[in-house]
Amino acid sequence: MKNLFVKIAAAGLLMLAPAIAEAAEGYSTANVNMRAGPSTRYPAVAVIPAGSSIEIRGCLSDVNWCDVEFYGGRGWVSGQYVQALYQQRRVYVGPQYYRPLGIPMIRFSVDNYWDRYYRNRDFYRERDRWSRSPDYYYRDRDNRDRDRDRDNRDRDRNWRERDRDRDGRDRDRDWRDDNQRGDRQRGDRQRGDLQRGDRQGDDRRGDDRRPDRRDFDCRPGDPSCDE
């Protein structure tokens, strides 16, 4: 009995193996970004030109995004930009065509997928934040940007305050220098006025001196010459 169950299980695995390995050929309907995850918020890893052939490796059941292969690279493309051949006509890939086209429904995990395909990419270093969802990553990045902007504003405010203080000190120094220059100029003027006054006083005193009679020439017959 035990061997019978083992054989049945093995047969079931053999039947599932082809389905797991299934893929479908598709075509891009526009120049579309192939992204690192099933959302337009994940990083773009390549651009698939319109009309290019791609291999559809699997699609999500809850949203219309598919894991595709393009020239050896792997990434995710929205099903609204992917068509496949179904009953001799091209149809946009959607959940109703997954089974008829042989497209397996898969799940997405940042850790597993990025470990396999994106180890050499710059964004791989931030996979821990991306693994919490793109919305969390962008919210976290926005918070970091706001923190950086606030730090920049604080630095700018500190610089402005230092500049304002320096300008105030410069104005005070200029005001003191102007006062000192004014004091010196007033002192110079006062000293000049005093010197001019002294000279004028000397001149006036010289004018007040009475002439010595001997300074006059005595003319013959002048009585003052006989004294």
Side-chain angles (χ1 to χ4, degrees):
M1 179 66 73
K2 183 177 180 179
N3 291 334
L4 179 61
F5 283 119
V6 171
K7 291 179 181 179
I8 293 174
L13 290 174
L14 289 173
M15 292 178 64
L16 289 175
I20 294 174
E22 282 179 340
E25 185 178 2
Y27 306 89
S28 63
T29 61
N31 295 333
V32 61
N33 284 320
M34 184 170 67
R35 297 187 175 273
S39 169
T40 55
R41 307 198 75 172
Y42 281 103
V45 296
V47 176
I48 302 176
S52 298
S53 176
I54 57 177
E55 289 290 325
I56 306 171
R57 295 296 180 181
C59 298
L60 300 177
S61 59
D62 52 344
V63 291
N64 190 18
W65 279 79
C66 296
D67 175 21
V68 303
E69 182 177 353
F70 176 68
Y71 277 100
R74 290 289 288 271
W76 292 80
V77 176
S78 173
Q80 63 180 335
Y81 297 109
V82 177
Q83 287 184 335
L85 191 63
Y86 175 70
Q87 294 182 350
Q88 305 302 317
R89 62 189 180 92
R90 288 188 178 185
V91 296
Y92 282 96
V93 173
Q96 69 274 25
Y97 295 111
Y98 291 170
R99 181 180 292 274
L101 291 172
I103 299 173
M105 286 186 291
I106 59 176
R107 296 180 180 180
F108 172 72
S109 168
V110 168
D111 293 333
N112 294 334
Y113 199 86
W114 287 21
D115 284 345
R116 185 176 299 176
Y117 301 114
Y118 301 136
R119 284 183 175 273
N120 62 337
R121 297 280 185 160
D122 291 338
F123 55 78
Y124 181 80
R125 294 193 297 267
E126 300 186 19
R127 65 190 180 281
D128 291 336
R129 278 198 295 271
W130 280 106
S131 63
R132 300 178 187 179
S133 80
D135 293 334
Y136 183 91
Y137 172 81
Y138 277 98
R139 182 168 61 249
D140 184 42
R141 192 181 67 174
D142 291 341
N143 290 334
R144 284 179 286 146
D145 291 341
R146 281 194 293 270
D147 291 340
R148 185 166 57 251
D149 292 339
R150 183 166 57 249
D151 292 340
N152 291 335
R153 288 194 298 270
D154 291 341
R155 283 195 295 272
D156 292 340
R157 184 171 60 252
N158 292 335
W159 277 111
R160 287 195 299 271
E161 290 175 353
R162 283 194 291 270
D163 290 341
R164 186 164 57 248
D165 293 340
R166 186 169 58 250
D167 292 340
R169 290 193 299 271
D170 292 340
R171 282 195 297 271
D172 292 339
R173 186 171 57 252
D174 293 340
W175 182 80
R176 289 194 299 271
D177 292 342
D178 290 340
N179 287 338
Q180 291 173 357
R181 283 195 296 272
D183 293 339
R184 285 196 299 271
Q185 291 173 357
R186 283 192 295 272
D188 293 341
R189 284 197 298 271
Q190 290 173 357
R191 285 192 295 273
D193 292 340
L194 290 175
Q195 292 173 356
R196 283 194 298 273
D198 292 341
R199 286 195 299 271
Q200 290 174 358
D202 293 340
D203 294 341
R204 282 194 297 272
R205 285 192 297 271
D207 293 342
D208 292 341
R209 288 197 305 268
R210 293 181 180 181
D212 191 351
R213 285 179 299 179
R214 288 174 297 181
D215 294 338
F216 294 95
D217 294 334
C218 292
R219 288 177 291 188
D222 189 341
S224 61
C225 292
D226 295 335
E227 297 179 0

